[in-house]
Amino acid sequence: MPKITVLKKTNLQEDSCHSMLISLFRGLAALVVAWAHLRAASFPAFGDVANPTLLFQAMAFSSGFAYLAVMVFFVLSGWLVGGSYLNRMDTDRALQNYAVDRVSRLWVVLVPTFLVALLVGALTGTIDPGRVSFSASDPYSLTAFIGNMFGLQNILVESFGENFPLWSLANETWYYVAFPLLVVVFRSRSLASRAAALLALAAIVQLVTPAIVLYFAIWLLGAGFSRVKIEAGPLLRWALVLITVVTAVLIRLKGKNEISVETFPQFLGFSLLFALFLSSMQFKRPQSTMLDRVDRTGRFFADFSFTMYVLHVPLIFVMVHLTSSLFGIDRLSPEIVSHYLIYLGMFVVLVFAGYFFHLPFEANTSRVRQWLKGQLFARVGTVRT
């Protein structure tokens, strides 16, 4: 029988099996999302093809897991962000450090990506570089730029640069804000602090969409299960893997491929199984050359997974524009084998571009954090003195 232990602290040790898997799934989820969006932009919709080939059927099937990949992101974000905050919430300046960490994580990548989106819009003729718009309904406006920096896309403004995957960053942003408020509600000894936190949470609920509120439960699953260690034998762990994979396939084949209140139960079930599996892998990673390679590979892709996620759509816009203007190919044909090779080449370009673009930005997030904390906290100390 499995042994379930509630941990006093979230285990964030890098030599644990679950840490290796977290890195691997972070990288894989970003690749899955990019694979799906590239197929949707370059090939016709599956329903528009009368007699799809087996190769196109396989491609259509493999590219239908993007929303499940986002659920993986939500669980892992709750595990890492929520778990690390729980570990540090009683330390000095815990909330201030948390705020700087979250803002820097988002803005270090979003600001340069939004600038790329503006260049792409100018290159493709989508926008007029000489005109500045302030309309909230214009995805290239200054209002949309600022709104997306604060997670207001699909709430008050459009996703900047028509970068539709940014919807999930609105979720993430408000989960980052809501989680410490929720901690105050349950842990603060001050009645006034609890009341203020409750009022802030109520304001967030009124502002955001019902789906954002509902899917917070999946993010909280990650935070909660980061404190749960399940000691089980390999048979149970493999059973969890099998059940999770089967559930993902069933959702792909029978479920609805959209994020809504209606589809929440299917994604909650998948996320619960995934969180259970991660909790069952909380043990030290055995010494193995193969596992070391898996760990290095996972960490490599995880390091630029965020950049890959937010940058791939503007890059897809560029590649689709170039294939159309230079080669006269508006859509790749599912009947032509060489077009699959073109698609693979485009995907490789996405991955390499994501990696090289992350080097000056996402790769330096920790340095930006240290500089910001040094500047902000030094000024606070000076004022107090």
Side-chain angles (χ1 to χ4, degrees), residues 39 43-53 56-61 252:
R39 189 207 67 83
F43 279 100
F46 183 76
D48 295 338
V49 180
N51 297 301
T53 63
F56 190 61
Q57 290 180 47
M59 172 171 279
F61 175 78
R252 172 68 186 93

Side-chain angles (χ1 to χ4, degrees), residues 186-263:
F186 285 99
R187 292 191 76 252
S188 178
R189 296 179 180 179
S190 168
L191 185 60
S193 297
R194 288 186 174 185
L198 277 173
L199 287 174
L201 287 170
I204 291 172
V205 170
Q206 290 297 313
L207 172 67
V208 303
T209 65
I212 290 179
V213 176
L214 195 57
Y215 281 78
F216 187 31
I218 292 177
W219 196 93
L220 290 174
L221 270 181
F225 274 93
S226 73
R227 291 295 184 93
V228 177
K229 180 179 181 181
I230 302 175
E231 298 178 63
L235 183 61
L236 180 58
R237 291 198 298 270
W238 279 110
L240 280 171
V241 171
L242 179 61
I243 295 171
T244 305
V245 171
V246 169
T247 301
V249 172
L250 288 175
I251 291 173
R252 172 68 186 93
L253 295 176
K254 303 294 184 181
K256 286 191 175 182
N257 196 23
E258 62 182 33
I259 297 294
S260 65
V261 174
E262 182 184 357
T263 58

Side-chain angles (χ1 to χ4, degrees), residues 3-20:
K3 179 183 177 182
I4 301 176
T5 305
V6 177
L7 304 173
K8 293 182 178 181
K9 282 198 170 186
T10 298
N11 179 9
L12 300 174
Q13 296 296 318
E14 293 188 355
D15 61 351
S16 295
C17 261
H18 77 286
S19 292
M20 176 188 71

Side-chain angles (χ1 to χ4, degrees), residues 148-380:
N148 278 245
M149 295 285 286
F150 291 94
L152 294 173
Q153 57 271 32
N154 297 347
I155 300 172
L156 298 179
V157 298
E158 297 294 318
S159 292
F160 188 77
E162 300 178 274
N163 194 346
F164 53 90
L166 296 181
W167 69 266
S168 68
L169 293 190
N171 290 54
E172 288 277 357
T173 300
W174 292 106
Y175 300 161
Y176 293 162
V177 175
F179 185 68
L181 292 173
L182 206 57
V183 171
V184 170
V185 170
F186 285 99
R187 292 191 76 252
S188 178
R189 296 179 180 179
S190 168
L191 185 60
S193 297
R194 288 186 174 185
L198 277 173
L199 287 174
L201 287 170
I204 291 172
V205 170
Q206 290 297 313
L207 172 67
V208 303
T209 65
I212 290 179
V213 176
L214 195 57
Y215 281 78
F216 187 31
I218 292 177
W219 196 93
L220 290 174
L221 270 181
F225 274 93
S226 73
R227 291 295 184 93
V228 177
K229 180 179 181 181
I230 302 175
E231 298 178 63
L235 183 61
L236 180 58
R237 291 198 298 270
W238 279 110
L240 280 171
V241 171
L242 179 61
I243 295 171
T244 305
V245 171
V246 169
T247 301
V249 172
L250 288 175
I251 291 173
R252 172 68 186 93
L253 295 176
K254 303 294 184 181
K256 286 191 175 182
N257 196 23
E258 62 182 33
I259 297 294
S260 65
V261 174
E262 182 184 357
T263 58
F264 174 72
Q266 68 181 26
F267 292 124
L268 178 63
F270 168 80
S271 302
L272 177 60
L273 289 169
F274 180 62
L276 284 168
F277 168 64
L278 280 183
S279 292
S280 72
M281 298 298 293
Q282 294 208 59
F283 55 87
K284 190 170 183 179
R285 177 163 51 87
Q287 294 295 320
S288 165
T289 302
M290 183 186 71
L291 290 179
D292 288 343
R293 289 175 180 172
V294 171
D295 184 51
R296 288 195 298 270
T297 301
R299 293 186 189 282
F300 171 78
F301 285 102
D303 284 345
F304 67 98
S305 59
F306 183 38
T307 296
M308 184 76 180
Y309 186 83
V310 300
L311 183 67
H312 72 275
V313 166
L315 295 180
I316 288 173
F317 289 162
V318 171
M319 288 191 288
V320 170
H321 175 75
L322 291 177
T323 54
S324 176
S325 59
L326 297 179
F327 306 107
I329 302 175
D330 292 326
R331 286 277 178 175
L332 299 178
S333 172
E335 307 294 333
I336 303 175
V337 175
S338 61
H339 282 199
Y340 290 92
L341 297 178
I342 294 174
Y343 170 83
L344 288 175
M346 294 168 72
F347 183 71
V348 170
V349 169
L350 284 182
V351 175
F352 272 92
Y355 171 73
F356 285 109
F357 192 79
H358 106 285
L359 292 176
F361 304 112
E362 185 177 5
N364 290 294
T365 301
S366 60
R367 294 181 180 179
V368 173
R369 285 174 176 170
Q370 292 175 0
W371 181 83
L372 285 173
K373 290 175 183 179
Q375 295 296 312
L376 295 173
F377 298 157
R379 291 181 181 180
V380 171

